[in-house]
Amino acid sequence: MSACQENSEDVLEKNKKIVTNFYQDFFGDFNFESANNYIGDIYIQHNPAVADGKEALVNAAKLWFKNAPKKKIKFNLVIAEKDLVFVQIIDESDGNRYSTMDVFRVTNGKISEHWDAFATFKKDAVSKNDTPLF
């Protein structure tokens, strides 16, 4: 391996850092301008409520998080494989528990694609087992 090539483990760690830093800056601190630092010129969005492109994400987030307090993001899972980074967040609010799984593709050091899935567990819900979500 030449000095210019990075070890694949180093790339995975860098990709995880890119995604977790973005997630905190954008979704925790609501620094929406930080999208310019983390998201590439091409950004494919798989959430049907948001159009492709960095600007569409920023505009949607400004509506979603209007008047929301900043918060420290608590990552339950951060997993990197090839050019994908998976993060899972568990948050609690109003007695409800929210689980979010996001998958980001990182291309040349920038986020280029995104998928997400959400689950809400209402405070009055009764689980049929004692197994935690994650």
Side-chain angles (χ1 to χ4, degrees):
M1 180 164 67
S2 74
C4 294
Q5 292 177 320
E6 291 186 78
N7 179 315
S8 63
E9 286 186 32
D10 291 341
V11 171
L12 295 176
E13 288 305 313
K14 283 182 179 182
N15 287 352
K16 286 165 58 172
K17 192 84 168 156
I18 289 165
V19 168
T20 56
N21 285 348
F22 164 71
Y23 213 100
Q24 179 60 53
D25 284 351
F26 196 85
F27 295 108
D29 297 333
F30 308 127
N31 177 10
F32 303 126
E33 293 77 27
S34 72
N36 292 319
N37 298 328
Y38 297 105
I39 297 176
D41 292 335
I42 295 174
Y43 178 67
I44 300 167
Q45 177 62 262
H46 293 274
N47 181 320
V50 183
D52 287 342
K54 168 178 8 182
E55 184 178 339
L57 176 64
V58 168
N59 291 338
K62 286 178 179 179
L63 292 174
W64 295 334
F65 301 112
K66 187 176 182 176
N67 301 321
K70 292 180 181 183
K71 64 182 175 183
K72 175 72 175 145
I73 301 296
K74 297 176 187 162
F75 296 97
N76 193 45
L77 294 170
V78 180
I79 301 167
E81 178 70 27
K82 297 183 182 179
D83 60 350
L84 300 175
V85 178
F86 301 75
V87 296
Q88 196 250 348
I89 313 301
I90 294 177
D91 198 12
E92 296 198 28
S93 176
D94 302 323
N96 297 322
R97 188 170 185 224
Y98 303 92
S99 174
T100 303
M101 176 66 77
D102 287 282
V103 181
F104 297 91
R105 183 180 312 280
V106 179
T107 306
N108 298 322
K110 298 280 188 171
I111 295 169
S112 60
E113 196 165 1
H114 171 255
W115 300 258
D116 55 15
F118 306 93
T120 300
F121 302 88
K122 299 290 185 180
K123 63 182 172 184
D124 299 331
V126 177
S127 179
K128 296 189 187 304
N129 61 58
D130 293 329
T131 308
L133 179 61
F134 280 92

